[in-house]
Amino acid sequence: MAAAGAHLMPTWERKARTFLCVFGLVLSVYALHVELSKERNPDYRAMCDLAESVSCSKVFTSRWGRGFGLVQFLVAKDSPLNQPNSLLGIIFYTLQMGLGLSVSKKAAMFLVFSSWVSVAGSLYLASILAFVLGDFCMVCVSTYIINFALLFTNLKRRRAIEGMKEKVR
């Protein structure tokens, strides 16, 4: 039923969601690759490391690159609960893509809620990037933009689904 109703959503929404989620997944997988490569080889130089103050690997390997820099206050730094932010991104974009196939009101509400959480996380990490690390990370900023665009897309979807439910009554 869920996937069958997906054709009821506007084409722009399906295309936008697919583009944003795939792009977000690619960036998250790349970020994870950079972090793991840098941990294995400190001399590793990522494609996104353009200058001292324009370095994604500096950001990904900072304390804020795992658990938003907050989880390590609750558990050990090397705890399995203190995962790279990029892994959380992979989970987030996968859920956004999968739940985007459903036209249920509950799925739409979860999409909006999780988008608000991702935007809050993006604002937090952007402030760390600018004011604490003093760095510019192209991969990070791109994911922040994707998160805001997904929020917009999800808000439009929720309104559309609520409108469809109203027409049914």
Side-chain angles (χ1 to χ4, degrees):
M1 159 79 190
H7 72 281
L8 299 173
M9 297 312 300
T11 302
W12 76 264
E13 195 264 348
R14 285 194 314 272
K15 288 181 179 179
R17 176 174 310 283
T18 300
F19 172 78
L20 293 168
C21 291
V22 168
F23 194 32
L25 272 169
V26 167
L27 290 173
S28 296
V29 167
Y30 178 70
L32 185 60
H33 164 75
V34 169
E35 181 177 343
L36 296 175
S37 296
K38 191 76 171 173
E39 284 176 4
R40 280 193 298 271
N41 176 9
D43 295 328
Y44 173 78
R45 184 166 170 86
M47 289 186 299
C48 53
D49 290 345
L50 303 178
E52 184 63 31
S53 61
V54 182
S55 169
C56 63
S57 64
K58 175 180 160 186
V59 175
F60 300 151
T61 57
S62 75
R63 80 165 221 217
W64 292 276
R66 287 182 168 262
F68 293 86
L70 302 172
V71 174
Q72 70 182 19
F73 294 122
L74 305 172
V75 298
K77 188 177 178 179
D78 59 351
S79 167
L81 297 175
N82 193 24
Q83 291 298 317
N85 297 345
S86 53
L87 188 58
L88 299 174
I90 291 167
I91 294 167
F92 171 72
Y93 296 119
T94 302
L95 281 172
Q96 287 283 314
M97 182 72 90
L99 287 174
L101 297 174
S102 172
V103 291
S104 81
K105 193 171 182 178
K106 284 182 181 176
M109 294 303 287
F110 182 80
L111 288 168
V112 169
F113 172 75
S114 62
S115 282
W116 276 116
V117 171
S118 78
V119 164
S122 294
L123 291 172
Y124 166 73
L125 290 173
S127 66
I128 296 294
L129 190 63
F131 303 117
V132 177
L133 296 174
D135 195 86
F136 182 81
C137 168
M138 292 181 297
V139 174
C140 305
V141 171
S142 297
T143 59
Y144 306 157
I145 293 167
I146 290 168
N147 292 345
F148 275 91
L150 274 170
L151 174 61
F152 172 80
T153 303
N154 288 328
L155 288 170
K156 297 285 271 183
R157 167 183 275 252
R158 189 188 69 202
R159 280 189 218 110
I161 288 175
E162 287 172 354
M164 286 177 1
K165 302 294 183 195
E166 291 295 320
K167 289 177 187 174
V168 170
R169 288 183 189 173

